[in-house]
Amino acid sequence: MEEKETKGTGRKITTVVIVLLLAGLLGGAYVHGINYFKTHFFTNTGIDGVDVGELTAAEAEQKLAEAFDVNNITIEGRDRSEELDVSEAGITRRYSGLEEAVASQDAVKWVFKRMEAAELELPYSFEYDEQKLLELADGIDQLREENQKAPENAYVGYDEASDSFIVVPEDRGSTIDTDKFHEVIKAAAEAGNSSIVLDNENVYYEPEIGSDDPELNSRAEYVNKLNCGTIRLDLGADTELTLRGDSILGLLDIGMFVENCTNGTPSDDSFVNEEALNGLVAKLSEKYNTYDPDKSKLFTTYSGENILIENEYGWKLNEEKTAAALRKRLQEICNAVILGDQDEFAVSEDNKDPNYIKASWSHSA
C-alpha cells in the first residue's frame, strides 16, 4: 500500500515539474516576444501592401524602398511612346514614422497580434536627384527638333472636290514646352508614377485658332458665298482669265469683308487687298505685253536673214485702268454678298454679263 502511494506521489511531482518547466519556457518565450516586438513590427503587419512583419524599422525602410523604386517612366506622346530609364536619378520612396509605429505597438499583446493582420498607413515622399532626372528627361526622342512638328491654325481653304470653301482643321503638331515638361517629369518622380500621358499634362504648344472658332466659321460661311461671283477678264486675242473661288479670295481683305458681312452693311471702302491686286496685274503685264522699249526683237527676213531691231511697237497693258476695273467688280461682288443680292451675278436679258471685264491696252507703233 505504501509502495502505491509512493509511486503516485512521484508521478505528481513529475507532472508538476513538467508543468513548471513548460510554464517557464512559455513565460520565457512570452517575455522574449515582448522584448522582440518592442523593436520589430508585429507579425502580419503590412505597409502599402508590403509585408514588414517581424522587421525592424530600418529593415522595413529598406524593403519598402526596394519595393517602390522607380527605374523607368513610360512617356506617351502624340506620335510616339518611349521608356525613360531613370535609375540613375535614384527615385526612392521614403517613409516617415516607421520607428514611431514600432514603438507605439503594445508588445505585451504580441501573442494575440500574431493571429491578426494589420495594414498601416504612413506618410511618405520620394527622394531623387533633380538635376540628373532632368538631364535624362532632356534626352528623349520626343524633344529632338526633327521629331517635333509646330502647331498650325485652322484656316478657310478652297476645296476643289466640293467646289466650296471649308474650314480646314488645325494641326496640333507635337512641339513640347520644355519648362512644362520638366515640371511634369518632376511631379511624376515625386508621386512615384511610372507613366505619363503628355496630352493629359498640357505640355504641348497648341494652335491659336481651332476649327470650332466662331469667327473662322463665319468667315467660311461668308467667303463661300463669293463663289457666286466670277470675274472673266478678257485679255484679247482669244485669251481670257477667269477669277473665282480662291482666286477672288486672294485679292480681298477678308477680315474687313467678314466684319461687314457680320454687320450686314455694304461699304464704299475697298475690300480689295491692293498689294495682291497690283501683283496680279503686274504678272499679267509681264506675261502678255508685246511692247518693251528696253528689249530688242530678233526677226527673220524673207530671204532668211536674221536681224535685230529695236522693239518700238506692240501692245502694253494699262495696269492702272485694268486694276480699276477689277477693283470695281470685286467691290460689287462683296457688297452683293453682304446684301444677299444674287441678281447681281446673273446675266441680264440683253445678255450683258456683269462679270465680264475687258482689260485696257495701249498700242505703240
Side-chain angles (χ1 to χ4, degrees), residues 283-298:
K283 287 182 180 179
L284 293 175
S285 282
E286 183 179 353
K287 184 174 181 179
Y288 295 109
N289 280 358
T290 60
Y291 172 70
D292 187 349
D294 297 325
K295 292 183 180 179
S296 300
K297 284 188 177 292
L298 183 67

Side-chain angles (χ1 to χ4, degrees), residues 157-166 223-228 230 244-246:
Y158 181 69
D159 178 45
E160 289 189 15
S162 61
D163 188 26
S164 64
F165 289 97
I166 62 172
V223 169
N224 221 6
K225 295 177 181 179
L226 289 173
N227 268 334
C228 298
T230 300
R244 68 185 304 272
D246 56 344

Side-chain angles (χ1 to χ4, degrees), residues 232-295:
R232 294 166 47 225
L233 180 63
D234 185 358
L235 294 164
D238 297 324
T239 302
E240 186 175 281
L241 175 68
T242 300
L243 300 175
R244 68 185 304 272
D246 56 344
S247 299
I248 292 179
L249 176 64
L251 298 175
L252 298 177
D253 180 336
I254 295 299
M256 181 178 177
F257 169 68
V258 171
E259 182 180 350
N260 282 67
C261 282
T262 304
N263 297 332
T265 55
S267 175
D268 293 330
D269 296 328
S270 178
F271 293 113
V272 177
N273 182 327
E274 293 296 332
E275 182 178 352
L277 177 62
N278 292 331
L280 172 65
V281 174
K283 287 182 180 179
L284 293 175
S285 282
E286 183 179 353
K287 184 174 181 179
Y288 295 109
N289 280 358
T290 60
Y291 172 70
D292 187 349
D294 297 325
K295 292 183 180 179

